[in-house]
């Protein structure tokens, strides 16, 4: 299959396209417009114009495009305008010649096809006549149509073209003309003639300047999806290409093509040639300075560059001015250094160096910086020095500087940078002598609770005083975990375990086993019993931080899986040992887990109090990871209790902490999911969707994709897009390998609701039974009760369908049995329990009004619109069936407002449908319809049927009996029978089956199936 490098999908540029469309509308109204579209090379100026022109259709509008050519210092005189006029001549033919009548002689100077040029003077007067005749030609052509005149690559234009274009823009009045001109902003050096030209044009009322920005991560992902022909490209690939291309669409295309061919590093030759063209036109000395600057880093300070070059200041300034003017370098935002205009240009220049040349330049940078560290900012010095020595191939200098850079990065919470430096240490480890490796002294807390010594007794080996390879691995594991690179953390742990002798160093081996359990937990992979293994290693060693962490992890795993009260004892034991040995962070972790277990076993207020205290202690300790976990768990707990506004605030606080401390890669996804859950529950669906969109291309290694995909599915479900909701939920479930209740139950609930709304009650039943077949321990009321309610609701909605009636009593008994094991403690849970009682009664054909009333009473103070709207709708149905019309009308009015506030479009429509079926809105008009006025507003053939008869026919096509029709429409069976007789007569058929066949053949109603 042929693969393409250009995305077939036009990505982004919504604001820009809207601006062009508005300009066209104004031009079509007789107000001529000009739009100057600027941007760097490859930013997508031509693609934007092409997509815009696709929507400009003849005969109402005609477009003509001309491009400037790079020929010498300036382009061909009038070249682009002559090309555009030639295209208009070709397309319009006689109309063009009629518009040019009487001016052919002068216009032939632009367009020889019009005949011989006149013998007029070739002076400024002749030029003025040419400009005037060209303007009059365009005005005449625009009398019967809107004219779009496009001039591309204005940066290559000649003076004559610019003057004629400016004349057109200034003198066209009340003409239906839109002028578009594109130019490369990065080609406009300080003395480029287009700079003052654009500034002068921009002062005109009818001229707008449109600068195209680089793509963001989401736009890059959409472009890659089109190029690669996939629905969702790999997030790591998106992140890598976006970082290297820096959002330039052309560079994205080139790097995507290279990646598709298996080249994930380096620059494709074709792209390198393009990037170096501008560099190779510069003077030799300027090129030499650029080669040195490229090795200086993404940003190189002026003083550092001057010290490395040792050139006279005037010579250096002149060379840098030349590079800046050519658009290769630009002053950085601080004003004391330079950076390449695009990172790929720097990469191409660096790659063009010979190996020995590159080593020499980096050695010079390292020596200069080591002699005078003040040449760069203090926080950057260690990393810069480590990079220079590494690329200079001086391993004995590179390793200790990389260790120092890793330490500095950790202190700034730059964990990805810390990991990169530690990986470099691991790479260089075997290349340096023992004396270099044993010199560095590391801080005691470099790797959390990792034992600083592997000895089991009081005697210590001499090697304990120096740095060992396993120590670096421990530090790298923590850095990988905190940066969100969980797969790399697993690989590092396994390497360390291969090195360790468990009998000689059991505490260290246990520590690495705990890390393996943590990483596997985040990756939702089975951990192979690592915690139990770790406990066996440390159980006989006496109290230690590692032992406390092992117990805390065992309790946390139990809480997330199938908790029982023994896990509470384990959490308490972990907290006690941690307190005894001074492992403060581990103690708070254990207390957070204990709070979660209190909640599971029916003590929510005690859980909130303990969580709040643990969060406060974590704040005092400065333990950011503990603080993020505590805020995350507190937001989850608040949400489960129906306190969504409080959950929202805790989630936001957690996101702020994670962002401030470099932990977005580990905690950001989960906290964002909690925030979205709270917003959705409060009915703020648009805000929830925008929050998810903003996170879509956050940390590429975020482990919470399945959680966020399920939330996206819930939002699509509420918006009525059931197919997208089902696909997102399927994707979330496929990624959920751990099968924890906190993921399984909400996904099953969403699946049940989707199937029910799609008219597939048997599939909804299967989803419910699959969950009920699993034995969940006590707790989970917040997750299990909504699942049971919607499952019972699906059974009630399919009442009377033969395929669904079979087996319903058994299903309802199982639902009731599952509910009996739950212990609702808070108003929200008790409200869900009353809703469940009501749905079971409705499915069994019993009166459920008392249950709906109790649920409404409990839900109104909670303030969550979703369940309240459902309760109000069901109560209105019950009141209408009982003939209490005033009560039903009042309930429906409240239900309509509440459903709208919940963001559930389907529920909104159900409220409106009930009002229509029960004739609770516009009763006089409904009575007139019922008296025999035909429905002429419905889609499709009316066939002379009234609204009520169409309602009856719809149910008749579903196989409903007269009694079932009467129950659903709140009418008597006798009235239903009369409506059926009228339908048969109007359709000219002899039976119910023929009437249903006519309805299906004419597609009067959406097809509804029982699956």
């Amino acid at each position: 299959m042929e693969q393409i490098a250009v995305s077939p999908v036009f990505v982004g540029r919504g604001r820009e396209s809207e601006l062009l469309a508005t300009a066209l509308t104004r031009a079509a109204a007789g107000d001529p417009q000009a739009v100057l579209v600027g941007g760097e090379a490859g930013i997508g100026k031509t693609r934007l114009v092409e997509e815009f022109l696709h929507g400009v259709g003849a005969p109402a509008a005609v477009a003509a495009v001309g491009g400037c050519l790079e020929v010498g210092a300036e382009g061909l005189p009038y070249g682009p305008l002559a090309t555009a006029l030639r295209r208009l001549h070709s397309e319009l033919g006689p109309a063009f010649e009629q518009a040019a009548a009487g001016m052919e002689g002068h216009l032939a100077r632009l367009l020889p096809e019009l005949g011989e040029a006149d013998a007029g003077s070739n002076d400024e007067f002749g030029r003025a006549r040419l400009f005037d005749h060209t303007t009059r030609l365009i005005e005449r052509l625009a009398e019967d149509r809107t004219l779009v005149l496009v001039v591309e690559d204005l940066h290559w234009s000649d003076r004559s073209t610019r003057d004629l274009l400016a004349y057109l823009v200034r003198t066209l009045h009340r003409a239906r003309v839109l002028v578009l001109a594109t130019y490369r902003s990065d080609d406009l050096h300080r003395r480029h003639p287009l700079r003052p030209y654009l500034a002068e044009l921009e002062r005109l009322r009818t001229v707008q300047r449109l600068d195209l920005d680089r793509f963001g991560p989401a736009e890059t992902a959409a472009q890659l999806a089109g190029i690669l022909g996939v629905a969702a490209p790999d997030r790591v690939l998106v992140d890598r290409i976006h970082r290297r291309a820096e959002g330039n669409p052309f560079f994205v295309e080139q790097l995507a093509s290279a990646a598709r061919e298996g080249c994930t590093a380096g620059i494709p030759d074709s792209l390198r040639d393009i990037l170096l063209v501008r560099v190779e036109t510069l003077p030799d000395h300027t090129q030499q300075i650029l080669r040195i600057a490229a090795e200086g880093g993404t940003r190189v300070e002026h003083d550092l560059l001057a010290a490395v070059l040792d050139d006279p200041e005037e010579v250096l300034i002149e060379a840098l001015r030349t590079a800046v003017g050519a658009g290769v370098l630009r002053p950085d935002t601080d004003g004391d250094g330079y950076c390449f205009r695009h990172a790929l240009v720097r990469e191409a220049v660096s790659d063009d160096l010979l190996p020995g040349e590159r080593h020499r330049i980096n050695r010079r940078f390292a020596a200069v910086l080591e002699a005078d560290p003040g040449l760069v900012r203090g926080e950057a010095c260690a990393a810069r020095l480590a990079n220079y020595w590494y690329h200079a191939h001086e391993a004995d200098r590179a390793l200790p500087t990389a260790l120092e850079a890793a330490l500095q990065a950790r202190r700034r919470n730059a964990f990805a940078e810390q990991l990169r430096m530690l990986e470099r240490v691991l790479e260089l480890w075997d290349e340096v002598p023992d004396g270099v490796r044993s010199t560095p002294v590391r801080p005691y807390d470099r790797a959390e609770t990792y034992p600083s010594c592997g000895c089991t007794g009081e005697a210590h080996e001499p090697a304990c005083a120096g740095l060992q390879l396993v120590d670096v691995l421990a530090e790298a594991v923590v850095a990988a975990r905190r940066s969100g690179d969980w797969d790399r953390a697993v690989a590092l742990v396994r390497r360390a375990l291969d090195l360790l002798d468990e009998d000689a160093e059991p505490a260290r081996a246990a520590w690495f086993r705990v890390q393996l359990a943590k990483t596997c937990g985040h990756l939702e992979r089975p951990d192979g019993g690592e915690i139990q293994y770790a406990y066996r290693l440390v159980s006989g060693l006496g109290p230690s931080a590692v032992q406390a962490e092992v117990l805390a992890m065992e309790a946390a795993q139990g809480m997330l899986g199938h908790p029982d009260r023994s896990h509470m004892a384990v959490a308490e034991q972990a907290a006690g040992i941690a307190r005894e040995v001074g492992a403060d962070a581990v103690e708070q972790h254990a207390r957070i887990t204990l709070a979660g277990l209190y909640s599971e076993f029916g003590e929510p207020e005690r859980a909130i109090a303990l969580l709040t205290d643990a969060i406060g202690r974590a704040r005092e300790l400065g333990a950011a990871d503990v603080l993020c976990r505590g805020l995350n768990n507190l937001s989850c707990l608040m949400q489960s209790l129906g306190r969504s506004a409080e959950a929202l605030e805790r989630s936001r606080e957690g996101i702020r902490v994670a962002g401030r401390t470099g932990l977005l890669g580990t905690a950001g996804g989960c906290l964002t999911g909690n925030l979205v859950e709270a917003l959705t529950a409060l009915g703020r669906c648009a805000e929830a969707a925008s929050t998810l969109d903003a996170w879509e291309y956050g940390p590429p290694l975020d482990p919470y994709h399945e959680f966020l995909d399920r939330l996206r599915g819930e939002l699509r479900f509420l918006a009525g897009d059931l197919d997208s909701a089902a696909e997102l939920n399927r994707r979330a479930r496929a990624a959920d390998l751990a099968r924890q209740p906190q993921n399984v139950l909400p996904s099953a609930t969403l699946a049940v609701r989707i199937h029910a709304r799609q008219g597939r009650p048997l599939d909804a039943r299967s989803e419910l039974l699959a969950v009920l077949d699993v034995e969940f321990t006590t707790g989970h009321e917040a997750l299990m009760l909504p699942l049971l309610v919607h499952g019972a609701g699906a059974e009630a909605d399919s009442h009377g369908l033969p395929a669904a009636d079979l087996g319903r009593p058994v299903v309802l008994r199982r639902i009731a049995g599952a509910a009996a094991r739950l212990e609702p403690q808070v108003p929200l849970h008790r409200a869900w329990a009353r809703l469940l009682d009501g749905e079971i009664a409705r499915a069994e054909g019993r009166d459920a009004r008392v249950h709906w009333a109790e649920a409404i009473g409990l839900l109104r103070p909670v303030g969550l619109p979703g369940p309240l709207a459902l309760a109000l709708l069901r109560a209105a149905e019950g009141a209408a069936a009982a003939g209490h019309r005033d009560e039903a009308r009042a309930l429906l009015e409240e239900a309509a407002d509440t459903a709208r506030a919940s963001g559930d479009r389907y529920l909104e429509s159900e409220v409106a449908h009930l009002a229509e079926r029960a004739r609770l809105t516009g009763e006089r008009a409904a009575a007139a319809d019922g008296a025999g006025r035909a429905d002429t507003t419905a889609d499709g053939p009316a066939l002379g049927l009234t609204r009520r008869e169409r309602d009856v026919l719809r149910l008749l096509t579903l196989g409903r009996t007269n009694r079932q029709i009467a129950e659903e429409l709140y009418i008597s069976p006798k009235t239903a029978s009369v409506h059926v007789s009228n339908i048969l007569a109007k359709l000219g058929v002899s039976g119910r089956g023929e009437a249903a066949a006519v309805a299906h053949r004419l597609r009067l109603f959406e097809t509804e199936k029982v699956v």
Side-chain angles (χ1 to χ4, degrees):
M1 183 178 69
E2 183 182 1
Q3 293 178 316
I4 55 176
V6 179
S7 172
V9 180
F10 182 53
V11 175
R13 307 304 186 204
R15 180 186 65 84
E16 294 86 349
S17 297
E18 184 178 345
L19 186 148
L20 293 180
T22 301
L24 180 62
T25 301
R26 290 176 180 167
D31 184 13
Q33 300 286 303
V35 180
L36 309 173
V37 182
E40 66 183 9
I43 202 65
K45 301 178 293 295
T46 298
R47 181 68 183 272
L48 172 65
V49 171
E50 287 174 349
E51 293 292 333
F52 169 69
L53 293 181
H54 284 163
V56 177
V62 176
V65 182
C68 303
L69 300 177
E70 187 179 18
V71 181
E74 286 201 342
L76 295 172
Y78 304 124
L81 293 172
T83 301
L85 291 176
R86 186 172 293 111
R87 290 176 177 172
L88 285 174
H89 186 202
S90 175
E91 182 169 348
L92 299 178
F96 186 95
E97 292 171 359
Q98 183 179 353
M103 303 183 293
E104 296 92 340
H106 251 80
L107 290 174
R109 296 170 184 261
L110 283 179
L111 202 60
E113 290 90 334
L114 293 177
E116 290 292 330
D118 62 22
S121 60
N122 295 316
D123 54 17
E124 64 270 20
F125 300 107
R127 182 172 181 265
R129 281 193 295 273
L130 174 63
F131 284 16
D132 180 60
H133 287 177
T134 304
T135 303
R136 288 166 61 188
L137 171 65
I138 290 174
E139 286 176 337
R140 289 178 183 179
L141 290 173
E143 288 176 357
D144 300 324
R145 63 191 64 80
T146 302
L147 190 62
V148 180
L149 189 63
V150 180
V151 178
E152 290 207 282
D153 297 321
L154 198 59
H155 53 282
W156 287 331
S157 63
D158 62 288
R159 170 72 179 271
S160 299
T161 296
R162 293 194 296 272
D163 288 348
L164 178 51
L165 189 63
Y167 185 87
L168 288 172
V169 171
R170 289 177 182 275
T171 57
L172 285 171
H173 297 293
R174 306 306 303 167
R176 296 160 59 187
V177 178
L178 169 61
V179 176
L180 295 181
T182 69
Y183 64 93
R184 287 186 187 173
S185 55
D186 52 339
D187 270 11
L188 305 187
H189 53 76
R190 294 183 184 277
R191 292 183 296 275
H192 197 290
L194 199 61
R195 277 182 177 270
Y197 177 83
L198 293 174
E200 192 66 26
L201 280 184
E202 201 174 3
R203 294 168 57 188
L204 302 177
R205 177 188 63 82
T206 58
V207 176
Q208 299 180 74
R209 195 160 173 175
L210 178 59
D211 295 319
L212 300 190
D213 295 327
R214 295 177 179 178
F215 279 173
E219 293 162 318
T220 298
Q223 185 185 6
L224 286 172
I227 293 171
L228 302 176
V230 297
D234 178 72
R235 286 170 60 94
V236 175
L237 177 67
V238 171
D239 180 67
R240 183 172 67 244
I241 288 182
H242 180 71
R243 278 190 292 104
R244 295 188 67 202
E246 294 185 335
N248 183 292
F250 174 74
F251 294 161
V252 170
E253 291 171 355
Q254 297 298 309
L255 295 174
S257 296
R260 193 169 51 200
E261 294 168 5
C263 176
T264 57
I267 303 176
D269 291 340
S270 58
L271 179 56
R272 180 182 292 106
D273 292 341
I274 293 170
L275 293 168
L276 291 178
V277 162
R278 191 172 298 181
V279 175
E280 291 169 350
T281 63
L282 298 174
D284 290 343
H285 186 62
T286 302
Q287 290 188 48
Q288 177 62 19
I289 288 177
L290 288 174
R291 285 191 284 271
I292 293 172
E295 292 303 299
T298 55
R299 171 188 182 276
V300 60
E301 295 77 1
H302 179 88
D303 291 344
L304 175 61
L305 187 60
V308 169
L309 286 164
D310 202 20
D311 278 351
E313 183 74 7
E314 299 79 9
V315 175
L316 174 61
I317 290 293
E318 183 60 31
L320 289 170
R321 186 181 299 279
T322 301
V324 170
V328 178
L329 288 182
R330 61 177 175 83
D332 65 15
T333 53
D334 293 337
D336 62 352
Y338 308 92
C339 56
F340 281 80
R341 187 165 292 277
H342 198 286
L344 283 177
V345 177
R346 172 181 171 266
E347 189 175 338
V349 172
S350 179
D351 288 349
D352 209 36
L353 292 171
L354 297 173
E357 188 179 15
R358 190 179 192 195
H359 300 162
R360 179 181 57 78
I361 293 172
N362 277 279
R363 192 176 299 113
R364 175 64 178 158
F365 267 112
V368 167
L369 185 57
E370 205 167 60
D372 186 0
L375 291 171
V376 303
R377 293 193 306 270
E379 70 274 12
C381 185
R384 295 278 288 278
L385 200 55
N387 279 325
Y388 293 147
W389 283 124
Y390 176 78
H391 291 297
H393 281 213
E394 299 277 357
D396 56 337
R397 310 289 290 275
L399 187 144
T401 53
L403 280 168
E404 177 60 26
L407 180 61
Q408 296 300 327
R410 184 178 73 87
R411 288 173 177 167
R412 298 196 313 274
N413 299 314
F415 301 116
E417 175 67 16
Q418 179 194 8
L419 175 61
R420 189 169 69 85
M421 287 297 166
L422 291 171
E423 295 270 24
R424 188 170 289 174
V425 172
L426 295 173
E427 176 190 341
L428 298 172
W429 189 262
D430 293 329
E431 298 182 23
V432 299
D434 292 341
V436 174
R437 295 195 297 252
S438 60
T439 301
V441 177
R442 313 299 285 158
Y444 76 94
D445 63 342
R446 66 189 182 278
E448 298 176 340
T449 60
Y450 174 73
S452 58
C453 174
C455 303
T456 56
E458 294 185 2
H460 295 278
E461 298 291 333
C464 292
L467 186 69
Q468 301 176 36
L469 180 59
V470 71
D471 301 334
V472 180
L473 285 166
E475 211 169 330
V477 166
V478 174
R481 209 186 69 228
R482 290 185 175 182
S483 66
D485 195 345
W486 301 97
D487 285 306
R488 187 58 187 148
V490 170
L492 291 165
V493 167
R494 296 196 187 283
R495 181 177 175 184
L497 289 173
D498 288 340
L499 288 174
L500 278 171
D501 180 347
E502 291 183 350
D503 295 330
E505 298 183 278
R508 285 182 167 179
W511 185 88
F512 279 107
R513 295 283 176 184
V514 170
Q515 304 312 304
L516 188 57
K518 287 181 179 180
T519 51
C520 288
H522 272 276
L523 291 169
E524 298 197 341
R525 299 173 185 167
D527 67 9
E530 299 298 337
I531 293 301
Q532 292 74 22
Y533 195 111
Y535 185 70
R536 289 196 297 272
L537 289 171
V538 297
S539 59
L541 298 181
S544 68
V546 175
Q547 187 184 71
E549 190 169 21
V550 169
L551 292 169
M553 275 294 297
E554 182 180 353
Q557 284 187 338
M559 178 189 71
L560 292 174
H562 301 284
D564 58 47
R565 292 190 178 275
S566 67
H567 293 116
M568 297 173 69
V570 173
E572 289 170 344
Q573 183 184 1
I577 293 174
R579 195 178 305 114
E580 179 183 347
V581 299
D584 297 328
V586 177
E587 180 189 357
Q588 302 318 312
H589 267 307
R591 297 178 76 219
I592 289 170
T593 298
L594 185 59
L597 291 165
Y598 286 157
S599 174
E600 290 291 342
F601 291 101
E603 298 182 82
E605 294 305 322
R606 187 180 183 189
I608 291 172
L610 182 56
L611 261 177
T612 303
D613 184 70
I615 288 169
R617 294 282 300 280
R619 242 190 224 102
E620 293 171 3
L621 292 169
D625 58 330
V626 185
L627 179 55
C628 284
R629 181 178 176 232
L631 290 167
N632 178 75
N633 286 18
L634 184 56
S635 69
C636 283
L637 177 55
M638 292 298 190
Q639 180 62 31
S640 72
L641 299 175
R643 295 161 63 171
S644 297
E646 296 171 81
L648 185 148
E649 291 307 315
R650 298 291 76 73
S651 299
R652 283 184 169 153
E653 183 183 356
I655 291 170
R656 287 194 298 270
V657 171
R660 189 172 65 243
T661 57
L663 294 176
L664 279 178
T666 56
C670 193
L671 285 161
T672 297
N674 291 349
L675 175 60
V676 168
E677 274 193 315
L679 289 168
T680 304
L682 292 168
R684 295 158 62 175
C685 296
E687 190 177 346
S690 64
T691 301
L692 279 174
D693 289 343
W695 185 259
E696 176 73 21
Y697 294 98
L701 301 172
D702 179 23
Y704 295 102
H705 295 321
E706 76 286 347
F707 178 27
L708 300 180
D709 276 341
R710 193 251 301 165
L711 294 175
R712 291 185 183 96
E714 290 185 0
L715 288 170
R716 297 314 306 155
F717 172 82
L718 293 174
D721 186 354
L722 299 184
D723 290 339
S724 295
E727 172 56 25
L728 286 162
N729 197 39
R730 182 205 61 76
R731 200 163 77 187
R733 298 172 102 178
D736 179 20
L737 304 179
R739 306 295 292 165
Q740 294 172 349
Q742 64 178 348
N743 296 326
V744 171
L745 295 176
S747 293
T749 301
L750 179 57
V752 166
R753 298 179 75 186
I754 291 170
H755 288 315
R757 289 193 180 177
Q758 288 175 329
R760 304 164 69 93
L762 297 186
D763 284 348
R765 179 183 293 175
S766 296
E767 289 283 356
L768 175 66
L769 293 177
V771 174
L772 296 184
D773 287 340
V774 177
E775 285 295 327
F776 287 103
T777 54
T778 187
H780 308 304
E781 283 81 6
L783 302 177
M784 183 64 84
L785 281 167
L787 172 63
L788 298 177
V789 167
H790 292 298
E795 294 297 328
D797 288 341
S798 60
H799 183 74
L801 297 178
D805 286 343
L806 186 64
R808 181 175 295 113
V810 175
V811 175
L812 293 177
R813 282 197 297 272
R814 293 197 61 185
I815 291 173
R821 294 192 294 272
L822 302 175
E823 300 177 5
Q825 299 289 328
V826 296
L828 177 62
H829 300 168
R830 292 197 293 272
W832 279 114
R834 299 293 75 75
L835 281 170
L836 178 58
D837 293 338
E839 293 291 12
I840 291 174
R842 189 166 71 95
E844 293 174 342
R846 296 185 285 110
D847 185 359
R849 283 179 293 164
V850 64
H851 302 306
W852 309 134
E854 290 177 1
I856 291 169
L858 289 164
L859 285 168
R860 279 195 177 114
V862 173
L864 301 184
L868 177 57
L870 177 62
L872 290 165
L873 173 62
R874 294 287 181 253
E877 287 175 339
H884 302 155
R885 300 183 62 80
D886 290 340
E887 179 187 352
R889 184 179 295 104
L891 288 165
L892 275 178
E893 288 175 358
E894 185 180 356
D897 292 339
T898 310
R900 194 175 305 113
S902 74
D904 191 335
R905 298 295 167 255
Y906 180 86
L907 199 58
E908 255 190 279
S909 68
E910 283 293 285
V911 172
H913 190 209
L914 173 60
E916 183 180 351
R917 284 185 295 139
R919 293 294 190 266
L920 293 173
T921 58
E923 288 197 38
R924 293 181 181 176
D929 281 349
R933 181 165 62 82
D935 179 5
T936 59
T937 61
D939 293 338
L943 302 174
L945 301 178
T946 66
R947 288 179 182 273
R948 178 60 86 192
E949 287 167 350
R950 283 176 62 85
D951 290 339
V952 172
L953 178 58
R954 179 180 62 83
L955 297 173
L956 189 150
T957 61
L958 295 174
R960 302 290 202 270
T961 65
N962 286 351
R963 180 170 296 280
Q964 290 169 337
I965 291 171
E967 290 175 355
E968 186 153 348
L969 297 180
Y970 306 99
I971 57 179
S972 69
K974 183 176 180 180
T975 302
S977 176
V978 171
H979 283 310
V980 171
S981 298
N982 289 339
I983 290 168
L984 299 182
K986 290 181 179 181
L987 297 182
V989 296
S990 59
R992 302 165 74 95
E994 290 183 50
V998 169
H1000 285 300
R1001 187 172 65 252
L1002 297 179
R1003 300 181 182 276
L1004 296 181
F1005 312 107
E1006 292 183 5
T1007 303
E1008 297 184 35
K1009 299 184 292 183
V1010 178
V1011 181

